[in-house]
Each structure stands twice: as structure tokens, then as C-alpha cells.
Amino acid sequence: MNEIIKTKNLRKVYKMGDEKIIALNDVNLEIYKKEIVCIIGTSGSGKSTLLNMMAGLEKPTKGEIIVNNMHLEKMNEKQLTKFRQKNVGFVFQSYNLIPTLTALENVSLVLTFRGVPKRVREKKATEMLKNVGLGKRLHHKPSEMSGGQQQRVSIARAFVGNPKIVFADEPTGNLDTKTTFEIMDLVTSMVKDLNQTLVIVTHDDEISSYANRIFHMRDGKIEKVEELPLKGDVVN
């Protein structure tokens, strides 16, 4: 297996007045291509900060973040924006959909930023929405959809640009148990079909059961790494 994400002595310190809060404390990890990884821990353990670092959303205080052979810690904001557009997709707990846009517009917006022609991006967005079971909801706005349907739009948006890595931050935190498993089955089957890497942040043990490996975090450090029997196909 080839690594697609690697961190070396990754450290993040936030300053609040005279106080320093250590969110990440010399974190070293490797995540491999086509792997499904879960980062689990209680609130304040550093798991979301670690995801933000690997996704190029935050800069480290010190250390290295190497994603797809690129050093994120050396990039400026413009370079990081370009990196995210080309390499990653995001699924968030709160969906992060634009309320004034339809499902089709929310999904195709990702391709707009890449300069994809309108006809092409609408075709791709339509296909992706059909793939997540929303072929009849193309022109509905978020307020006209259930939480599960909004998360499916979020998933379609994450995958429409065919990213190498999908980052999911508490992707089922606002969903009931039945919808949670439907969403997780959908996301994991899509990353396997497309040979992508999935990194999930959660505090839910049931969600972590979908992973190949689990990184357990506490107080800004990786406490242990757990390998699981896989659900579905084995990653080679």
C-alpha cells in the first residue's frame, strides 16, 4: 500500500489571551491510498483539528503535512485553495449547503470553481445526485429536504469532482440511526467503487466499524491504532 497522507511531528497550539492550548501534540501518522480510516475521540481530543490540517483548512504551528506528495505546511492560502479544489472533497455534520441554491446548484458549484462549462457541470451534478438517490430532488432547496436528503446532497457535492481523498467530519451527527447506516453504506461503497481514500472523524463507535483502521485520539495525541476486519472488499 502507498501512503497518500503523512504527518510528521505535527503540532498545533492555539493562543487564548495568555493561555496556550495544545490541540495537536507531535502527531505522526500514515494513511494509505484506498484506505478507510476513522479518527475517534471525545470532544477536545484534537480529532477535528487533525482533519482540518490534513485537508489544508488550517496551518500547523510546526511539523509536516504531506498529502499526495505535496507539503501543505509550505503552501500559501492561494495554493491551499487550489490543492483542495483538485484533491479533496468534504462531508460535514451540518451539511454546509447554500440555502438559496437547489440541490443541483449546490453540487455543480464545486465544478464552477474549476471553470467547468455549465452544460458539463450540470450533467455531472445530475448524474451524481441520481447516484445518491436524489434524481427527483434536483430542483429542491435544502429547506425542502429532510436531514438525510441534505446529507446526500453534501455527499454528491463531495464526490462530483472525483477527489483523491474524502474527509468526513461527524457526517452522521445530525441523523437518526437508520439514516446513519444508510449514509455510511453509501459513502463507503462510493469510495471503494472509485478507489478513493476516506478519512472520517467521529466519536461514534458504530461509525468507526466501517474503517480499515481506527486512530484513537486523546489530549492531542494518537493513543493507539486499531486494525479491523473489513466490511466488504479488502484493500490491497
Side-chain angles (χ1 to χ4, degrees):
M1 292 190 293
N2 297 319
E3 66 192 37
I4 192 167
I5 300 173
K6 185 173 185 176
T7 69
K8 296 180 181 179
N9 303 318
L10 192 62
R11 185 174 175 85
K12 181 66 176 180
V13 180
Y14 296 103
K15 291 183 179 179
M16 296 183 67
D18 294 330
E19 186 180 2
K20 290 184 178 180
I21 298 173
I22 301 173
L24 296 178
N25 193 0
D26 291 328
V27 173
N28 294 279
L29 62 75
E30 293 179 352
I31 295 173
Y32 303 104
K33 291 179 180 179
K34 300 193 288 183
E35 191 174 24
I36 298 175
V37 161
C38 183
I39 302 170
I40 194 166
T42 57
S43 178
S45 62
K47 60 187 188 299
S48 290
T49 301
L50 179 56
L51 181 143
N52 289 342
M53 295 285 164
M54 295 188 294
L57 294 171
E58 287 190 58
K59 297 292 284 286
T61 303
K62 76 169 191 176
E64 298 177 58
I65 312 165
I66 306 160
V67 181
N68 200 28
N69 296 317
M70 291 176 280
H71 278 262
L72 303 195
E73 80 280 357
K74 295 180 180 179
M75 294 184 182
N76 59 35
E77 288 304 320
K78 185 176 181 180
Q79 291 169 327
L80 286 170
T81 298
K82 191 172 182 180
F83 159 80
R84 290 192 297 268
Q85 288 177 354
K86 287 187 172 183
N87 293 279
V88 303
F90 297 96
V91 182
F92 299 100
Q93 177 178 350
S94 56
Y95 320 135
N96 285 16
L97 302 177
I98 298 175
T100 56
L101 300 184
T102 64
L104 182 64
E105 290 167 336
N106 265 287
V107 175
S108 62
L109 189 61
V110 174
L111 301 176
T112 302
F113 294 134
R114 293 188 181 185
V116 177
K118 183 177 181 181
R119 181 180 296 179
V120 177
R121 66 179 184 252
E122 288 191 348
K123 181 182 178 182
K124 288 187 175 182
T126 298
E127 289 173 353
M128 190 57 67
L129 284 163
K130 287 179 178 177
N131 288 345
V132 300
L134 293 178
K136 295 181 179 180
R137 297 276 180 172
L138 300 180
H139 304 292
H140 286 67
K141 293 180 179 178
S143 61
E144 300 168 321
M145 293 182 283
S146 68
Q149 289 169 337
Q150 289 183 64
Q151 193 59 300
R152 286 173 182 265
V153 176
S154 175
I155 291 165
R157 180 185 59 191
F159 282 89
V160 72
N162 194 27
K164 294 177 178 64
I165 308 162
V166 175
F167 291 100
D169 192 355
E170 300 283 7
T172 60
N174 290 333
L175 305 176
D176 59 56
T177 301
K178 178 177 180 292
T179 308
T180 288
F181 288 120
E182 289 175 355
I183 291 297
M184 287 306 303
D185 288 342
L186 176 62
V187 171
T188 52
S189 67
M190 288 177 73
V191 296
K192 289 175 183 176
D193 289 344
L194 297 169
N195 293 321
Q196 294 163 320
T197 302
L198 175 63
V199 181
I200 310 165
V201 160
T202 187
H203 63 274
D204 188 339
D205 288 332
E206 290 185 326
I207 299 304
S208 66
S209 68
Y210 282 85
N212 307 143
R213 287 190 299 154
I214 304 173
F215 292 88
H216 294 265
M217 289 198 71
R218 183 190 295 269
D219 298 330
K221 294 183 177 182
I222 295 174
E223 196 172 46
K224 68 175 180 176
V225 181
E226 179 182 1
E227 295 198 17
L228 295 184
L230 302 186
K231 287 187 175 185
D233 297 332
V234 173
V235 175
N236 293 317

